[in-house]
Amino acid sequence: MTKEKSQNSYLYGLGKGLPIGLGYLSVSFGFGITAVGMGIDPIGTILISLTNLTSAGQVAGIGIIAACGTIIEMILAQLIINIRYCLMGLALTQKLDASFTTIHRMITSFAITDEVFAVAAAERGLIGRRFMYGLITLPPVGWTFGTALGVFAGQILPESLCVALGLAIYSMFIAIIVPPAKADKGVLLAVLIASCMSCAFYYLPYLSGISTGFQIIICAVAASAVMAFVAPKDGEED
């Protein structure tokens, strides 16, 4: 078997996806605890992770559910939070070989996440469908199984410990934000703007009446719009 063929094999992709799956196992454990703590049905929490693979979108989603938000809030919040996956999918189309028919593209697009995209994009040459199916096998398994463990732990562990473990999902977001914020002052300013607006929505009497879903939407869109005007990115530089 040539090196090119081995790189496009299912087992090769499976090995590449193993670290991602293990990482998702630990992070989704916190999501399971957090969701149950918000009053989300345990089975429903597991089904959310089984049918979705978006950490930020899921955390925002259970917040909207817990606050009895509307379907419009949910749709807009998920669209804004997850629109990046559309861009990732478009970028990956430039690396797919001829074995990727439309149906294969639709199936594999379900499991495109930041980490899956990074690993796939880093591969040299074109990507075969066997490699891609191997790459996306373990991440959803790890995410769903970790959620199930978190749901189970949330029902038997002391409340104080559950609260502490539930912070794990938020530590992941901090880990995602800090590196680019340190490297780019524009990203740092966008984070600060969104954080200040979020605090204003929480503490100010008139703003606190706005539902959680629309708070997320307003903070994300406003911070992005301000930074697009103040510090626009040069396309050639990117």
Side-chain angles (χ1 to χ4, degrees):
M1 182 180 291
T2 65
K3 182 178 180 181
E4 182 178 353
K5 287 184 177 180
S6 65
Q7 286 183 326
N8 277 328
S9 71
Y10 178 83
L11 291 179
Y12 177 73
L14 196 69
K16 288 284 187 176
L18 178 60
I20 302 176
L22 292 175
Y24 285 173
L25 179 68
S26 59
V27 173
S28 60
F29 182 85
F31 169 75
I33 289 179
T34 301
V36 171
M38 287 184 173
I40 309 297
D41 178 71
I43 300 299
T45 299
I46 297 173
L47 289 176
I48 288 173
S49 284
L50 181 63
T51 56
N52 299 269
L53 201 58
T54 162
S55 54
Q58 288 183 217
V59 172
I62 60 174
I64 295 173
I65 293 172
C68 298
T70 66
I71 188 65
I72 298 300
E73 293 175 55
M74 181 69 78
I75 292 173
L76 290 176
Q78 296 305 315
L79 177 64
I80 293 171
I81 293 171
N82 297 318
I83 191 67
R84 69 187 189 280
Y85 294 134
C86 177
L87 303 178
M88 292 177 189
L90 288 173
L92 281 181
T93 60
Q94 308 304 308
K95 290 184 64 67
L96 304 181
D97 66 13
S99 67
F100 266 94
T101 59
T102 300
I103 185 64
H104 291 300
R105 293 178 184 229
M106 293 175 65
I107 294 173
T108 55
S109 66
F110 166 77
I112 292 179
T113 63
D114 304 80
E115 295 77 14
V116 169
F117 169 78
V119 172
E123 283 295 304
R124 293 185 178 181
L126 297 178
I127 298 172
R129 73 169 187 265
R130 291 185 181 88
F131 165 80
M132 197 63 184
Y133 278 121
L135 179 62
I136 67 172
T137 296
L138 295 178
V141 173
W143 188 259
T144 305
F145 185 59
T147 299
L149 291 177
V151 167
F152 178 73
Q155 295 177 315
I156 63 174
L157 295 178
E159 183 178 355
S160 58
L161 183 57
C162 288
V163 171
L165 292 173
L167 295 176
I169 189 74
Y170 300 104
S171 65
M172 183 196 70
F173 298 142
I174 295 174
I176 292 173
I177 290 172
V178 170
K182 291 174 63 177
D184 190 332
K185 291 183 179 179
V187 175
L188 176 61
L189 185 55
V191 171
L192 292 176
I193 292 173
S195 299
C196 290
M197 291 185 64
S198 179
C199 291
F201 278 115
Y202 186 82
Y203 290 108
L204 297 181
Y206 294 103
L207 295 179
S208 60
I210 299 176
S211 63
T212 302
F214 280 114
Q215 289 180 18
I216 296 171
I217 295 166
I218 294 171
C219 290
V221 173
S224 301
V226 170
M227 292 313 303
F229 177 77
V230 173
K233 283 287 186 180
D234 186 345
E236 294 183 0
E237 179 182 337
D238 292 342

